[in-house]
Amino acid sequence: MIYTLLFIVFVIFVCYAFYVMKPKKVGKVPKHWHAILMQNVLFYKKLSQTKQAVFRKRMMLFLSEIHIEGVQTEIEELDRILIASSGVIPVFGFSNWSYNNLSGILVYPDSFNADLQFSDRDENKRILGMVGTGRFENQMILSKKAIRLAFNNKTDKHNTPVHEFVHLLDKMDGETDGIPAFFIGKEYIAPWLALMHKEMEAINKDASDIRKYGGTSEIEFFAVASEYFFERPKLFKQKHPDLYRMLSECFQQTSN
C-alpha cells in the first residue's frame, strides 16, 4: 500500500514539474503593435525591419513569462507594450534571454514612498520604480506615470523602467553592486571600476552631464549610465567614449 501511495505521489510530482517547466505558449504579435512601437519607442524605430520583427517576438516572449498587474490603476495595452519594450531593450543583444530573477511587475498609478504607499496623504512619494526585496523578491514595482514619461520624452537621458531592468541584470551574478560581472570578462572589471569611480567623482563635482543620481552609489551609476546609453547613444558616445565602449561590451550591442 505504501509503495502504491509513493508511486502516486511521484507521478503527481512529475506531472506538476512538467507543467511548470514546459515552455509557455507565446502568442502571435498583433499587427497594430508595429505602428504603436514606431510612434513610442525610439530604440525600436531605429532598428532594421528584420530586427524589429525579432524585437516584437522578444516582447511577446517577455509578456508570456512575466505577470503584470495594476494596483488601483488599469493596465492598458500601451502600458504592456512599453513595459515589455523596456525589458527587451537592455537584453536585445542576447538571444533567448529570460529574466529568471523576475516573476511579476506591479504597476502603481503614480510615485510611491519607501513603504510602497502612493496616496496623496503619504509623504516622500519620490520613488518611480524599484526592484523588490524580501516578500517582494522577484518582483518589480513601477509607476505608470513614469512608464509613460520614459517614452514620451525622446530627448532626455532618463528611462525609469529600463533603469530597473538594468538593476536586475546587475543582480545576475548574485549581488547588486554596480559591477556587471555576469556580462563582462574578469579583465574588464578593473577598467570598469576605474571608469565608474572617475565619472562618479566628476558627477559629484558638477563636471559631468550624467545625472546626479548616478553619483550616489556604484549601483545607481551603472543603471543611470545605462539609461543614457540607450536613450541618447550618439551623445553618450561623443561625451563618454570609454564608457560607451564598456557598456557596448556589457550589453553586446552598439546602440544607434
Side-chain angles (χ1 to χ4, degrees):
M1 181 67 179
I2 184 67
Y3 293 108
T4 302
L5 288 174
L6 288 173
F7 177 75
I8 292 171
V9 170
F10 174 75
V11 170
I12 292 172
F13 173 78
V14 170
C15 291
Y16 175 75
F18 175 77
Y19 172 77
V20 171
M21 294 176 65
K22 71 177 182 179
K24 294 183 179 179
K25 184 177 180 180
V26 179
K28 188 177 180 180
V29 181
K31 290 184 179 180
H32 68 278
W33 278 19
H34 173 69
I36 295 173
L37 286 162
M38 289 292 286
Q39 182 177 354
N40 292 280
V41 182
L42 188 59
F43 181 95
Y44 174 87
K45 186 176 182 179
K46 292 180 178 179
L47 297 174
S48 67
Q49 289 186 358
T50 301
K51 288 187 176 181
Q52 286 178 348
V54 173
F55 190 95
R56 295 194 299 271
K57 289 180 181 178
R58 297 280 296 274
M59 286 174 59
M60 292 303 294
L61 176 62
F62 176 92
L63 292 171
S64 74
E65 295 177 335
I66 308 299
H67 176 70
I68 300 173
E69 181 179 348
V71 179
Q72 294 186 24
T73 189
E74 179 186 357
I75 301 297
E76 301 172 46
E77 182 181 50
L78 180 59
D79 299 312
R80 292 173 61 82
I81 289 172
L82 297 182
I83 291 170
S85 296
S86 302
V88 171
I89 286 170
V91 297
F92 193 61
F94 312 123
S95 60
N96 303 317
W97 178 271
S98 291
Y99 284 96
N100 296 323
N101 55 354
L102 179 68
S103 59
I105 297 173
L106 297 175
V107 179
Y108 283 11
D110 205 336
S111 56
F112 49 94
N113 62 22
D115 295 322
L116 306 183
Q117 302 300 313
F118 56 88
S119 75
D120 292 337
R121 296 188 300 274
D122 297 312
E123 298 180 356
N124 300 317
K125 290 196 313 170
R126 298 173 184 171
I127 302 174
L128 299 174
M130 65 180 291
V131 173
T133 57
R135 68 188 181 96
F136 287 101
E137 187 72 24
N138 294 331
Q139 298 285 314
M140 182 184 291
I141 303 163
L142 293 171
S143 155
K144 182 174 182 176
K145 184 177 180 180
I147 295 166
R148 298 293 183 95
L149 184 61
F151 291 92
N152 282 342
N153 190 336
K154 296 179 176 62
T155 60
D156 67 356
K157 309 161 189 171
H158 185 36
N159 187 306
T160 295
V162 166
H163 180 109
E164 298 307 323
F165 279 108
V166 171
H167 280 323
L168 284 180
L169 299 183
D170 185 2
K171 199 175 182 180
M172 285 299 298
D173 61 356
E175 188 174 1
T176 308
D177 54 7
I179 304 171
F182 186 84
F183 300 96
I184 58 176
K186 291 182 180 180
E187 68 273 18
Y188 289 104
I189 292 178
W192 169 254
L193 286 169
L195 275 173
M196 177 168 60
H197 292 144
K198 178 182 177 181
E199 196 60 42
M200 286 179 67
E201 184 177 355
I203 292 170
N204 292 321
K205 290 181 177 179
D206 292 324
S208 172
D209 67 335
I210 297 176
R211 65 186 178 98
K212 285 187 174 296
Y213 193 45
T216 60
S217 71
E218 290 87 350
I219 296 170
E220 297 305 337
F221 176 83
F222 177 40
V224 168
S226 298
E227 289 179 79
Y228 192 165
F229 175 81
F230 289 112
E231 289 286 292
R232 298 290 303 278
K234 288 183 179 179
L235 183 62
F236 188 71
K237 185 177 183 179
Q238 176 186 342
K239 296 278 189 179
H240 309 279
D242 292 335
L243 275 173
Y244 179 88
R245 283 192 292 271
M246 189 67 74
L247 290 180
S248 294
E249 179 70 28
C250 173
F251 296 116
Q252 293 297 296
Q253 54 180 305
T254 51
S255 199
N256 298 315

